[in-house]
Amino acid sequence: MTKNNLTIQEKIAQLDEVVAWFESDDFELEQASAKLKAAAKLASDIEHDLANVANDIQQVKQSFASDQAA
């Protein structure tokens, strides 16, 4: 599965791995910048995906409300 096709849960798991790396004994300052950029990208992707899910839920709620009113 490509990075763009990951589920929200898979992206969160990857972000957790990056955060764990920062807290681990494997931490190396030379790699920190790249890891931080990767974490920021994952966080942004997760936020975008969650906004899409929220929008989908809102549309379903509106559709359901319209069906109830009819």
Side-chain angles (χ1 to χ4, degrees):
M1 185 173 284
T2 64
K3 196 168 195 174
N4 291 335
N5 293 329
L6 296 176
T7 67
I8 294 171
Q9 288 177 317
E10 290 168 331
K11 289 176 185 177
I12 290 171
Q14 284 186 350
L15 184 57
D16 285 343
E17 287 176 19
V18 174
V19 170
W21 178 84
F22 275 96
E23 297 171 344
S24 75
D25 292 336
D26 294 333
F27 176 85
E28 293 180 17
L29 190 56
E30 294 80 16
Q31 295 177 359
S33 178
K35 294 276 189 177
L36 186 57
K37 287 177 186 177
K41 173 74 170 113
L42 281 167
S44 176
D45 289 350
I46 292 166
E47 184 175 38
H48 180 261
D49 291 349
L50 289 174
N52 286 340
V53 169
N55 186 42
D56 291 347
I57 291 170
Q58 187 62 31
Q59 288 178 358
V60 169
K61 285 174 63 176
Q62 288 175 352
S63 175
F64 184 74
S66 295
D67 290 346
Q68 292 285 327

